[in-house]
Amino acid sequence: VGGLALAALFRRDAKKTRECGKSIEEDSKAYGKRIIYLFQSGGPSHIDLFDPKPALQRLAGTNIPSSILGNARIPNQSRDKSGLPIVPSAYSFEPAGECGMELSSLIPATASIADRITLLRAVHTDHSEHMPAATLYFTGSERAGRPSIGSWLAYGLGSANKNLPEFVVLLSGSGGQPLHSNFWGSGFIPTRYAGVEFRSVGDPVLYVRNPPGIDPRTRRSLIDCTGQLNELHYERFGDPEIQTRIHAYEQAFLMQTSVPELVDLSKEPASILKEYGAEPGKPSFANNCLLARRLIQRGVRFVQLCHRDWDHHDSLDKGIKVTCQQTDQASAALVADLQRLGLLEDTLVVWGGEFGRSPYSQGPSDPKTFGRDHHPKCFSMWMAGCGMKEGYVYGKSDDFGFNIVEGGVHINDLHATILHLMGIDHTQLTFRSQGRDFRLTDVAGNVIKDVLA
Amino acid sequence: LEAGDGEKQVKRTLHTWSARLLPLAWIPLIVLLGRYAIPPRKTPHFVKEEVARPSPESTKKSEPEAPAVKKPAAVVKHLDFGRDIRPILSDYCYPCHGPSKAGRKADLRLDRREDVLGDASSGKPIVKPGHPSDSELIDRIFSSASNRMPPARFPKKLTDDKRELLKQWIAEGAEYRLHWAYTGITRPKLPDSTRSNQARNPIDRFILARLDREKLGPAPEADRRTLIRRVTLDLLGLPPTVEEVEAFVGDSSGDAYEKVVDRLLASPRYGERQALAWLDLARYGDTNGEHIDDAREMWPWRDWVIQAFNSNKSFADFTIEQLAGDLLPDATDQTQIATGFHRNPIVQREPTDAEVANFTMVDRVNTSGTVWLGSSLACAQCHDHKYDPITLEDYYRVYAVFNNISPVRRAKSDGRGNQYPVLQLPTPAQKVKVDALHERKKHLKELLARKLKEAAASRADRAPICAGLRVLLVILSLQDKIVHFHESQQALGKEVVSTMIMKESAWPIATHVLHRGSLTQKGKQVTPGTPAFLPAIPDGARVDRLSFARWLFGRDNPLTARVTVNRLWQEHFGRGIVKTSEEFGSRGELPTHPELLDWLATELRDSGWDLKAIHRLIVTSKTYRQSSRATPEQHAADPENQWYARGPRCRLPAEIIRDNALAISGLLDQRIGGPSVTPYQPPGLWEAIRHPSAATAMEYVQSHGQDLYRRGMYTFWKRALPHPSLTAFDAPSREVCLDRRPRTNTALQALVLLNDPIYVECARRLAQRIMREGGANFEQRLSYAMALCVCRPPSLAELRTLYSTFEQEMNRFQKDPAAVSQILAVGESPVEPQFDRAELAAWSALANALLNLDETITLE
């Protein structure tokens, strides 16, 4: 019975409600079945990657006009600065693909999949500091304690495999903004829906390896021994919880045997490794992208990558090139690979950070050392697969990349749209805590219908 | 999908809801069969109750207190407003016609009787008591026209049974009643039952009477081994020793059990166990949380909590000292340390001071609401509460109570990671240094004064020079001394333990209502106060933290005693009398035993808030002492054991699972309190998420020696990533107040218990203990092992299984000395050399299996 779980309850379309015993996989192809969430921690600069602003060239060095600034909350680092000098992007933008979407020369690989993606150029969020903004990005609320989107979907969609978690987290990059287990936490919904980290160093899943001196045969025999005693105990106590535990140990054993094979990238063809830029044994975002594909192929619902080091407060030129090198090729390879495998039609790929970056420099606008501050009011993200429009740009920012002109997408709207693509009505997927029916989209969120193919 | 389809689909969804909920029954089965992660305890019930679904009818189906849906409406003769009607009004009407002004439609309130007696625009009364057919409300909910209520766009569908209930309610007179939890507490009479003579204490009278109604029988008393293990793990969080078990089994005196209970309540371990739940409520952690998540030092507060429980401080004083210990007329260092309760919130780094202060204050209000009032005050932060009579203004009046402490400035901390105000806690040796420093300061001041005077005198006859320059010269002459003094002061500041405290601000801080909770939408200024729906603080009394704390314990406060005693019950039975122990408002669940709850509440209040007395009462009841054995049918009939026809059976909390294994293996470190420790943890976890700054708690530096074997509660609690072996068993991150942890049952837990080095080391140490103390032959040794792990001898079938496993592993290890060396090398504690190494390895493997038994990690 694969993993039917509760999904049927939240599905949008009554006609598509599967009959008893029918798994999501057997259900209509009309809905997404899995998500790969490529979180770019720190806030990638939309000004330098996705949103060309030629008008800034002639304003270079001048302070951003107060008419544009409005009552925007200036983030921490720039708050006490005397001026906010405009710095145009140093990178050229060229039309990409048949759609002609303009993308920066920093991300040539992403340009190669331009015809596959929807680019959102007017995403906005509520807070200009990392932790509240990232918490909102993952949980729909800026305060700690709510379930993350991955755990909502694990809860809503249920499992599609027997020996792996529904929700897996992969971390890469060092330096830059810190991460927080809230980003994959389950808040007030049961902890079994929390993301499980698959690690690049040490045990791929915490404690999945037997201690030295215990081989798989001994492990099997000890689990059998524990299981038999638990069975005897069940006969006395009748508590179904004991049966559940017996089952948990069987699953643990299955994980022990399947995980090492799963994370072993060395069996991938050299051409694939090259396409992703992955190197087995060397932890990287590229390895994680490839691993993400392997995970969803084995039925994991939600794979969340967190890549750090987009927080380019200074020396942006140097920093952004490095981070793009770490992420551009693999992100594009993942989309291309999914498409080749026929997985893109029911797998959603989401690429973005907790906010964008300011068109002004937060310090002196020296081209070598300048950096951009956080910018929550308007920034870019892209999505691909699963019934999103292809080669499509949605939303428009002003000439400064500062304010939204049209097509604004709040993070709550983004979440509503993601759930919609998974066949879930975001107002219906709720969990009661403290007497209140909480949702991922809190009290807001509208599905952005324009981006649906 | 066609653009624009979405809306249609949403509508369709709404209309087809009830049809889709019918096949609910298969969900538990599928969840059971098909999940990687295992459903938690009582799966079928969990799915029915905790999965909040769009339509509440399915939820209500499983609630025994809601016959509304179970039975046809006609069968119910006398409706109970709180049980039958308020949930309907609350779910279907209050969102637009409830206590909240914001979003109220048609200027209509349905939450107060006086409002519904008025006329609707049609001229008909909204509700005409006794005459449903003359009531507009009934017209509208039965209407087939577009004016039907709730409207089509409302996400929930009012079912026919519910409409009928509303009709009947009006027919019966449309009575309203104050929500049960907001009514005063009176001491109920003890109910009678045909089995009253079986009662050991008044608790049992209530339980037996309810069992009569459910036609269920109480279970027999648990056997003594089970009972002493249960009560010891329950009150101390540690297993009884083999000697304690045997003494109890052999004690034929009538009060043998009560003697055990009294011994346990007097143990200093009791305070540690009790503190566990309090640390979750108080969101205690060892880091500042959020952005940098560097280390802080709040363990002196944690130790205060342990000591307070051990000295059985009354719950009133326990509370008053934590909320306002600094304001007490006889405030001491200890009462100041207690105020750390509201210094536990996380501290944001990046936002402005005003934002940080607001963030923290909101946390204080919300936490206070949950802990003492069982109330989601939090809902009123942005707007009037949608369901309960808590207004926006109420919220900010409570906010104002707390909004007079010296504001915390972000990232301004002492040398110990604590933000001011702090209390320094020097050791006696440090105290000498501190005093010496004070002397030096005094001396420096005197010296400065003298020199200034001298300078003034000596220059008096000369040409006048600028006084400032003169002062400067004097100070320069003392420069070395002053610099040295400051250095010493700073060095000492880093050395001396500190803890964060509350301190009343020197100047008043104005509190404004914040519309939508936003600092940019300031409303009117408010004075400190208590929520208007609860009894007020007596006129004329100054409202501050102290009077607020005392107000919680006023005789007419209906919530504090109920909420507190419910929490104590929850600790022992794994489920509160009110299941939603954090929510006593109209959206919480109704109590299963309302009279018992009130009786216990009066007992707590009238005992002078004596916690040990209530624990004693509960654990000595017949109800608690029942066997937890049951048939699968009995489990199916009452999966959560809400009627108590059997004793409690719950998986141990995360920390206690660890403590239990340490105690069984003899590794447990006995010290109480002190700085938190860093046991084994897979390398690289903190480093993978850390901020690149040079702050503390960025790299995991593992403890050594005895610090590796301390109780789970002393594990360093990093908010951004608490210890994975604890979180696997549902320990929270402690960023926000938490009243009850989920109890899940997963494959990741199995991996922790099988492979975490501490459990592997515990197994080896248990093996050493078995071989050293257990006797000569396998059977004796195994019996000893079982006595340590589960306090009982093995059955024949268990003996056979374990023996064959042991033989097999013994054979393997005898042939594989390398494996023996490997398994014995896990953990830093020494391997005792006198044992045969292969045999020790085989016993270690067997001990690993025993430590993984469901029974070992379960309180039964």
Side-chain angles (χ1 to χ4, degrees):
Chain A
V1 190
L4 177 48
L6 306 162
L9 293 175
F10 312 114
R11 291 263 146 167
R12 283 178 284 120
D13 185 342
K15 280 190 298 191
K16 295 289 193 289
T17 306
R18 67 188 59 74
E19 288 154 27
C20 187
K22 216 172 163 198
S23 80
I24 287 175
E25 273 55 42
E26 295 158 346
D27 195 7
S28 161
K29 281 267 178 189
Y31 298 121
K33 297 186 179 72
R34 52 197 96 80
I35 294 185
I36 300 177
Y37 213 53
L38 304 174
F39 176 56
Q40 311 299 322
S41 173
S45 169
H46 58 295
I47 306 278
D48 297 297
L49 299 176
F50 300 111
D51 201 3
K53 291 296 154 202
L56 295 182
Q57 297 295 345
R58 56 188 168 78
L59 294 169
T62 63
N63 272 340
I64 189 156
S66 56
S67 59
I68 295 299
L69 214 48
N71 61 354
R73 179 190 181 284
I74 301 303
N76 196 13
Q77 280 82 351
S78 304
R79 207 173 290 144
D80 307 321
K81 299 285 190 299
S82 52
L84 301 171
I86 286 170
V87 190
S89 178
Y91 315 104
S92 63
F93 279 74
E94 301 293 338
E98 289 181 11
C99 63
M101 178 187 295
E102 281 187 87
L103 293 170
S104 156
S105 59
L106 284 170
I107 47 170
T110 307
S112 74
I113 56 158
D115 289 337
R116 298 281 79 79
I117 66 175
T118 289
L119 178 63
L120 306 173
R121 277 198 180 134
V123 186
H124 61 112
T125 187
D126 295 344
H127 216 288
S128 57
E129 312 299 355
H130 293 288
M131 206 47 77
T135 307
L136 175 70
Y137 183 76
F138 285 105
T139 72
S141 161
E142 62 184 70
R143 288 193 87 86
R146 305 253 179 111
S148 59
I149 180 169
S151 58
W152 274 114
L153 279 160
Y155 165 69
L157 293 176
S159 176
N161 71 75
K162 287 198 175 64
N163 51 13
L164 292 171
E166 293 94 330
F167 176 16
V168 169
V169 185
L170 307 171
L171 312 181
S172 59
S174 61
Q177 277 317 292
L179 301 172
H180 194 294
S181 55
N182 269 344
F183 300 173
W184 52 93
S186 61
F188 42 71
I189 68 176
T191 34
R192 66 195 162 113
Y193 298 110
V196 174
E197 192 195 336
F198 273 49
R199 308 164 71 228
S200 309
V201 288
D203 290 355
V205 169
L206 288 179
Y207 309 118
V208 79
R209 284 195 191 133
N210 287 323
I214 299 286
D215 63 13
R217 211 169 32 115
T218 295
R219 174 54 75 219
R220 182 68 253 175
S221 116
L222 293 177
I223 286 179
D224 286 343
C225 174
T226 304
Q228 282 167 33
L229 262 64
N230 282 343
E231 280 288 353
L232 290 167
H233 202 59
Y234 175 71
E235 283 167 26
R236 287 190 295 268
F237 277 80
D239 188 344
E241 197 68 359
I242 303 173
Q243 289 293 351
T244 310
R245 192 163 319 280
I246 294 168
H247 191 43
Y249 276 78
E250 291 304 321
Q251 290 191 316
F253 188 74
L254 281 174
M255 274 179 83
Q256 289 196 289
T257 47
S258 64
V259 166
E261 181 274 329
L262 164 61
V263 300
D264 181 7
L265 302 182
S266 64
K267 301 285 183 323
E268 287 285 340
S271 60
I272 290 287
L273 292 172
K274 194 173 167 220
E275 188 181 355
Y276 279 85
E279 291 178 66
K282 272 184 79 180
S284 68
F285 179 77
N287 282 16
N288 286 350
C289 281
L290 182 51
L291 185 53
R293 192 211 74 203
R294 292 169 67 89
L295 284 161
I296 62 152
Q297 283 179 309
R298 285 160 180 77
V300 173
R301 287 279 176 217
F302 196 103
V303 183
Q304 175 170 312
L305 276 68
C306 296
H307 186 72
R308 301 167 64 184
D309 218 4
W310 283 103
D311 195 23
H312 299 131
H313 284 287
D314 52 54
S315 306
L316 177 134
D317 180 60
K318 194 171 149 211
I320 201 167
K321 282 177 180 158
V322 172
T323 321
C324 284
Q325 271 163 15
Q326 291 167 345
T327 53
D328 177 49
Q329 181 187 346
S331 305
L334 175 64
V335 171
D337 198 13
L338 292 174
Q339 198 197 11
R340 257 197 319 269
L341 294 166
L343 287 165
L344 198 57
E345 59 187 84
D346 50 13
T347 305
L348 180 67
V349 182
V350 182
W351 194 105
E354 69 269 41
F355 37 55
R357 304 206 82 82
S358 62
Y360 55 81
S361 167
Q362 66 177 60
S365 52
D366 178 275
K368 283 261 177 284
T369 60
F370 90 98
R372 301 187 188 277
D373 208 343
H374 311 159
H375 189 65
K377 291 193 73 174
C378 181
F379 60 102
S380 305
M381 291 180 61
W382 61 258
M383 298 165 80
C386 212
M388 293 290 293
K389 279 186 182 159
E390 298 193 320
Y392 184 66
V393 177
Y394 181 74
K396 192 166 175 252
S397 60
D398 64 14
D399 286 347
F400 296 80
F402 195 94
N403 293 305
I404 292 169
V405 172
E406 62 181 38
V409 178
H410 186 269
I411 296 300
N412 292 144
D413 303 328
L414 177 79
H415 289 160
T417 310
I418 291 172
L419 293 192
H420 178 88
L421 289 164
M422 295 294 119
I424 293 173
D425 179 341
H426 72 101
T427 65
Q428 306 281 337
L429 180 63
T430 62
F431 196 95
R432 184 168 287 194
S433 170
Q434 295 228 322
R436 191 181 145 193
D437 293 332
F438 282 94
R439 332 193 301 232
L440 170 61
T441 48
D442 203 2
V443 295
N446 290 301
V447 175
I448 308 298
K449 292 181 192 125
D450 276 0
V451 299
L452 307 175
Chain B
L1 289 171
E2 292 296 319
D5 248 18
E7 197 179 336
K8 266 180 262 161
Q9 283 171 349
V10 171
K11 280 185 184 160
R12 230 178 305 151
T13 310
L14 301 180
H15 288 297
T16 51
W17 254 112
S18 47
R20 263 199 280 164
L21 285 164
L22 288 176
L24 263 183
W26 48 257
I27 294 170
L29 177 71
I30 287 163
V31 171
L32 250 177
L33 294 176
R35 305 197 62 81
Y36 140 77
I38 317 297
R41 189 172 162 76
K42 325 302 188 236
T43 300
H45 211 69
F46 155 76
V47 171
K48 276 194 239 149
E49 291 229 334
E50 288 197 5
V51 176
R53 287 171 305 266
S55 168
E57 43 265 61
S58 51
T59 314
K60 293 290 186 275
K61 266 175 196 157
S62 61
E63 287 172 7
E65 291 281 3
V69 189
K70 260 188 183 171
K71 306 170 191 170
V75 179
V76 183
K77 290 293 179 218
H78 296 287
L79 293 175
D80 179 305
F81 178 76
R83 185 190 60 194
D84 305 319
I85 301 302
R86 185 185 290 106
I88 304 179
L89 294 176
S90 168
D91 280 355
Y92 297 90
C93 311
Y94 291 178
C96 305
H97 305 295
S100 172
K101 283 191 289 290
R104 190 181 293 150
K105 303 282 164 58
D107 195 24
L108 171 63
R109 283 184 79 155
L110 296 178
D111 62 314
R112 299 188 305 194
R113 193 163 193 263
E114 61 265 36
D115 295 309
V116 303
L117 297 182
D119 287 344
S121 53
S122 64
K124 252 188 180 183
I126 297 159
V127 164
K128 188 169 178 193
H131 301 87
S133 51
D134 295 335
S135 302
E136 177 77 9
L137 188 143
I138 297 301
D139 283 0
R140 296 293 285 274
I141 62 173
F142 280 94
S143 166
S144 50
S146 64
N147 67 355
R148 178 183 169 117
M149 283 288 151
R153 64 177 178 279
F154 190 71
K156 298 170 190 173
K157 191 172 177 297
L158 191 60
T159 56
D160 289 344
D161 331 4
K162 291 194 167 68
R163 285 200 206 104
E164 291 298 334
L165 275 171
L166 289 173
K167 204 167 163 183
Q168 190 183 345
W169 168 63
I170 295 177
E172 287 182 10
E175 287 303 324
Y176 276 76
R177 245 184 30 213
L178 186 61
H179 178 60
W180 71 271
Y182 304 147
T183 58
I185 308 172
T186 50
R187 192 171 172 93
K189 282 209 199 78
L190 300 187
D192 283 319
S193 150
T194 51
R195 295 173 287 198
S196 289
N197 60 332
Q198 296 183 21
R200 283 186 183 273
N201 71 29
I203 289 173
D204 303 322
R205 295 280 294 272
F206 293 98
I207 298 294
L208 287 166
R210 196 71 175 85
L211 286 174
D212 283 353
R213 273 167 63 191
E214 296 296 319
K215 300 202 169 39
L216 291 169
E221 180 156 312
D223 66 82
R224 286 209 160 180
R225 294 173 188 281
T226 304
L227 199 53
I228 189 172
R229 181 171 181 270
R230 175 190 298 171
V231 73
T232 310
L233 274 169
D234 200 9
L235 288 174
L236 307 188
L238 292 173
T241 63
V242 173
E243 296 73 29
E244 285 164 355
V245 174
E246 293 314 317
F248 178 52
V249 170
D251 186 347
S252 56
S253 59
D255 60 348
Y257 179 71
E258 285 74 10
K259 283 190 289 190
V260 168
V261 170
D262 289 336
R263 171 174 62 77
L264 297 175
L265 288 172
S267 161
R269 297 301 187 187
Y270 161 86
E272 291 180 314
R273 173 67 188 92
Q274 288 303 306
L276 219 55
W278 197 254
L279 299 189
D280 281 1
L281 286 165
R283 47 355 185 188
Y284 165 83
D286 293 312
T287 58
N288 285 310
E290 281 229 331
H291 191 65
I292 308 282
D293 203 37
D294 55 336
R296 61 163 54 164
E297 193 164 52
M298 286 300 287
W299 60 263
W301 172 83
R302 180 246 281 141
D303 289 357
W304 179 91
V305 172
I306 296 171
Q307 292 309 327
F309 281 120
N310 275 336
S311 66
N312 200 25
K313 195 179 276 290
S314 88
F315 186 67
D317 289 342
F318 181 71
T319 298
I320 291 165
E321 289 177 27
Q322 290 186 73
L323 289 180
D326 55 320
L327 300 178
L328 287 168
D330 50 352
T332 62
D333 276 4
Q334 286 299 307
T335 64
Q336 286 195 72
I337 292 171
T339 64
F341 181 90
H342 269 327
R343 293 303 309 280
N344 278 322
I346 56 178
V347 175
Q348 297 182 302
R349 285 288 186 128
E350 292 194 306
T352 63
D353 284 344
E355 287 166 337
V356 174
N358 180 49
F359 182 93
T360 313
M361 219 55 81
V362 163
D363 182 85
R364 289 187 180 124
V365 177
N366 298 355
T367 298
S368 303
T370 301
V371 173
W372 287 282
L373 301 175
S375 162
S376 50
L377 288 183
C379 287
Q381 185 203 342
C382 304
H383 48 71
D384 294 344
H385 201 293
K386 292 274 184 204
Y387 306 99
D388 285 306
I390 307 169
T391 64
L392 186 68
E393 189 171 330
D394 284 334
Y395 186 89
Y396 286 95
R397 295 193 74 194
V398 178
Y399 185 119
V401 170
F402 293 100
N403 197 18
N404 206 27
I405 80 142
S406 314
V408 174
R409 304 248 174 245
R410 69 202 158 90
K412 289 270 170 56
S413 59
D414 67 1
R416 317 277 299 183
N418 285 343
Q419 289 79 34
Y420 298 105
V422 301
L423 181 68
Q424 285 202 317
L425 301 166
T427 61
Q430 289 169 336
K431 185 80 170 56
V432 175
K433 287 195 210 168
V434 171
D435 290 345
L437 211 59
H438 275 293
E439 273 305 303
R440 259 172 71 189
K441 193 175 178 181
K442 212 170 110 191
H443 177 72
L444 256 176
K445 274 186 170 170
E446 284 168 4
L447 191 64
L448 189 65
R450 200 175 66 230
K451 286 229 173 192
L452 283 172
K453 216 170 161 188
E454 279 172 14
S458 65
R459 312 252 165 179
D461 55 334
R462 305 213 183 150
I465 58 167
C466 167
L469 185 63
R470 217 184 299 153
V471 171
L472 194 68
L473 284 170
V474 171
I475 291 175
L476 278 175
S477 73
L478 291 174
Q479 187 185 18
D480 285 353
K481 280 196 161 84
I482 293 173
V483 167
H484 188 232
F485 170 77
H486 277 292
E487 282 171 358
S488 312
Q489 197 177 31
Q490 274 189 334
L492 199 58
K494 279 193 180 154
E495 197 181 307
V496 175
V497 168
S498 76
T499 192
M500 292 189 270
I501 54 166
M502 299 285 267
K503 195 172 173 185
E504 201 75 347
S505 164
W507 61 90
I509 301 169
T511 299
H512 292 266
V513 167
L514 301 178
H515 294 288
R516 298 180 165 275
S518 165
L519 277 172
T520 58
Q521 295 187 46
K522 272 191 184 172
K524 72 169 185 176
Q525 190 172 338
V526 290
T527 52
T530 53
F533 75 102
L534 291 171
I537 288 181
D539 273 351
R542 177 186 146 83
V543 182
D544 57 10
R545 283 184 282 123
L546 184 57
S547 59
F548 180 86
R550 288 183 170 143
W551 164 82
L552 291 169
F553 294 87
R555 272 195 81 80
D556 51 356
N557 187 314
L559 287 166
T560 311
R562 282 181 175 130
V563 169
T564 306
V565 87
N566 187 60
R567 206 172 275 137
L568 301 183
W569 185 272
Q570 172 178 279
E571 274 176 37
H572 294 294
F573 288 97
R575 183 192 198 282
I577 297 171
V578 174
K579 185 184 170 184
T580 51
S581 52
E582 72 288 351
E583 177 57 39
F584 274 53
S586 62
R587 301 287 283 180
E589 291 202 17
L590 295 167
T592 51
H593 299 75
E595 287 163 336
L596 171 59
L597 182 69
D598 281 5
W599 188 87
L600 283 168
T602 56
E603 194 66 16
L604 176 64
R605 190 182 65 192
D606 298 345
S607 70
W609 304 90
D610 182 341
L611 298 175
K612 282 191 182 179
I614 300 296
H615 284 300
R616 191 178 194 282
L617 196 66
I618 293 174
V619 302
T620 56
S621 70
K622 172 191 174 64
T623 306
Y624 179 82
R625 293 168 66 168
Q626 293 175 101
S627 166
S628 56
R629 289 189 187 202
T631 62
E633 294 72 36
Q634 286 166 327
H635 271 284
D638 184 7
E640 294 199 344
N641 196 22
Q642 60 177 337
W643 306 125
Y644 309 104
R646 57 179 185 271
R649 187 176 194 282
C650 307
R651 194 205 77 210
L652 296 168
E655 295 90 331
I656 308 295
I657 288 178
R658 174 186 162 92
D659 301 348
N660 189 40
L662 288 170
I664 289 169
S665 62
L667 269 173
L668 182 73
D669 181 73
Q670 301 287 335
R671 287 170 296 166
I672 292 175
S676 295
V677 294
T678 44
Y680 307 127
Q681 175 170 295
L685 289 181
W686 286 11
E687 291 77 2
I689 62 154
R690 62 165 285 183
H691 189 273
S693 72
T696 49
M698 295 293 116
E699 282 159 28
Y700 195 81
V701 181
Q702 187 211 292
S703 299
H704 296 285
Q706 279 306 104
D707 279 353
L708 286 170
Y709 313 115
R710 303 209 60 195
R711 295 192 75 164
M713 69 181 303
Y714 299 121
T715 301
F716 188 90
W717 215 280
K718 185 170 171 70
R719 258 89 170 245
L721 196 66
H723 197 287
S725 295
L726 296 177
T727 50
F729 287 97
D730 306 313
S733 68
R734 300 245 185 89
E735 293 164 286
V736 288
C737 170
L738 179 78
D739 198 296
R740 53 187 170 128
R741 295 183 185 180
R743 264 196 308 275
T744 61
N745 190 340
T746 67
L748 294 176
Q749 293 171 359
L751 292 176
V752 168
L753 289 183
L754 291 170
N755 299 330
D756 180 346
I758 190 61
Y759 291 105
V760 178
E761 185 178 14
C762 278
R764 193 224 330 142
R765 295 286 298 214
L766 175 57
Q768 288 176 193
R769 203 173 166 190
I770 293 164
M771 292 177 74
R772 190 173 52 223
E773 302 164 10
N777 63 36
F778 179 83
E779 197 176 333
Q780 284 170 341
R781 286 177 170 185
L782 183 69
S783 295
Y784 185 62
M786 291 290 280
L788 287 169
C789 289
V790 291
C791 302
R792 64 171 178 85
S795 70
L796 198 58
E798 287 169 336
L799 190 70
R800 281 200 195 112
T801 302
L802 289 161
Y803 187 67
S804 75
T805 306
F806 176 76
E807 263 208 316
Q808 186 188 320
E809 294 314 310
M810 184 73 179
N811 277 333
R812 185 176 92 81
F813 282 118
Q814 276 171 340
K815 287 183 205 128
D816 190 352
V820 170
S821 295
Q822 285 177 326
I823 186 74
L824 296 186
V826 176
E828 294 187 7
S829 67
V831 180
E832 289 177 44
Q834 71 270 34
F835 305 117
D836 176 80
R837 286 172 65 85
E839 193 183 350
L840 185 60
W843 272 110
S844 300
L846 206 64
N848 182 252
L850 292 177
L851 290 174
N852 273 275
L853 291 180
D854 183 73
E855 190 180 357
T856 305
I857 60 167
T858 302
L859 180 139
E860 50 187 24

